[in-house]
Amino acid sequence: MKRISIILIMLHAVLLLHAQQGLPINKLFQGQVIPQERMMETKVRGKMIAKYQLSYFHSVRFNATPNETHLIMTLVDMGDPAKGDMQERSTMSTNTTETLMVRLDPQGKLNRYLCAKVNKKNQKKNEMVVIYMEGTLSSLEKMKEILK
């Protein structure tokens, strides 16, 4: 019984890593851009997000320098170069915030989305949130409503 539990936990971890695999932004989620100890990470699957037509939600929140911010926004904007262009892209900006939302090409029956929000605190530090989501949610407009 204990062995089965360990195998199931390992399988679950592999499936979570597979979700962003192949995307340039995966470097961020793996701690290669911002060290893991500087990030607050949230992963959600199951009933809690099913009402939003999502099956997986993965976010990281952290403070970044302007150079790190630029790199991360570039990685989000690249989408999935192996599969071609993204299906939709939306940006919103104010004096202190910038939001970039991307709908990636579907993976099987699942639609995939990336969202990055930058809150510019000062010239040396930005608060950032980067979110990867997948599910049957059909458009960026619906995703914007969920994230409000």
Side-chain angles (χ1 to χ4, degrees), residues 115-127:
C115 178
K117 183 174 182 178
V118 180
N119 185 6
K120 299 170 186 169
K121 287 293 195 183
N122 56 49
Q123 292 181 343
K124 295 182 181 182
K125 182 172 84 169
N126 299 315
E127 287 181 352

Side-chain angles (χ1 to χ4, degrees), residues 12-125:
H12 182 69
V14 168
L15 289 174
L16 289 177
L17 288 175
H18 179 69
Q20 297 98 220
Q21 193 170 17
L23 299 178
I25 197 64
N26 194 37
K27 293 176 185 177
L28 173 67
F29 287 102
Q30 290 178 337
Q32 295 174 2
V33 178
I34 303 291
Q36 292 283 353
E37 56 270 5
R38 284 180 43 202
M39 295 191 293
M40 183 172 71
E41 186 174 31
T42 304
K43 296 178 187 180
V44 183
R45 282 193 180 273
K47 291 181 183 180
M48 290 178 61
I49 57 173
K51 63 183 173 184
Y52 303 111
Q53 297 175 316
L54 295 172
S55 56
Y56 182 59
F57 175 95
H58 187 180
S59 73
V60 287
R61 179 182 303 264
F62 51 88
N63 290 319
T65 66
N67 287 341
E68 291 169 334
T69 301
H70 178 73
L71 173 60
I72 292 163
M73 293 303 272
T74 301
L75 292 173
V76 170
D77 205 21
M78 289 173 72
D80 188 353
K83 291 191 175 185
D85 291 335
M86 1 177 156
Q87 293 197 344
E88 292 180 79
R89 181 182 185 278
S90 174
T91 58
M92 295 177 282
S93 295
T94 67
N95 289 340
T96 58
T97 63
E98 180 182 353
T99 304
L100 172 61
M101 290 185 255
V102 175
R103 180 178 177 202
L104 303 167
D105 287 335
Q107 190 172 33
K109 293 182 179 181
L110 295 176
N111 293 317
R112 303 177 308 150
Y113 300 91
L114 278 174
C115 178
K117 183 174 182 178
V118 180
N119 185 6
K120 299 170 186 169
K121 287 293 195 183
N122 56 49
Q123 292 181 343
K124 295 182 181 182
K125 182 172 84 169

